Amino acid sequence: MKHYEDIESDDSFDMAVEWMRQGNLEKAERHLNRSIELNPRFTYAYIALARVYASQKRYSDAVHVLKRATRIDPEFSRLRYLMAKYAYRNGDYRSALGHIDRAMETDASELYRLARDIIEGRYRGG
């Protein structure tokens, strides 16, 4: 039964991606939530759902869904980077700085360092 749920989760994810391409974020959100319901370990479904929320300027919702994903894969630094990005867009620079610092604990890439500099500048009032 689990194998069937994984396949159905993938199908729901694929449909959501298509709805995103067509600009129907409501249907994309519905299919992504279904995908996560069927396979709660499907990290990329959480990332896509956060993107849908961010497209609607629902940055707090985007951060929240990514926090759920970090419980599944705490070492995936991209999740923390995206949380920083969406917190920054929401004007929560302190939170963004914390998320980017956590991302850099596992991946000190140039992108993350540059993002941290920008976030810190805003946080310090620059």
Side-chain angles (χ1 to χ4, degrees), residues 70-82:
T70 61
R71 290 186 206 115
I72 295 160
D73 193 352
E75 299 301 313
F76 189 18
S77 65
R78 182 78 176 167
L79 296 170
R80 302 275 182 195
Y81 167 77
L82 292 171

Side-chain angles (χ1 to χ4, degrees), residues 31-76:
H31 283 285
L32 288 166
N33 279 316
R34 179 70 176 146
S35 179
I36 292 167
E37 178 185 319
L38 291 165
N39 182 359
R41 301 194 57 78
F42 193 176
T43 305
Y44 289 99
Y46 291 92
I47 291 171
L49 183 56
R51 184 175 171 195
V52 167
Y53 290 151
S55 296
Q56 299 168 326
K57 299 191 183 333
R58 294 169 55 191
Y59 301 117
S60 293
D61 291 335
V63 171
H64 177 73
V65 78
L66 292 169
K67 280 183 183 179
R68 287 176 35 210
T70 61
R71 290 186 206 115
I72 295 160
D73 193 352
E75 299 301 313
F76 189 18

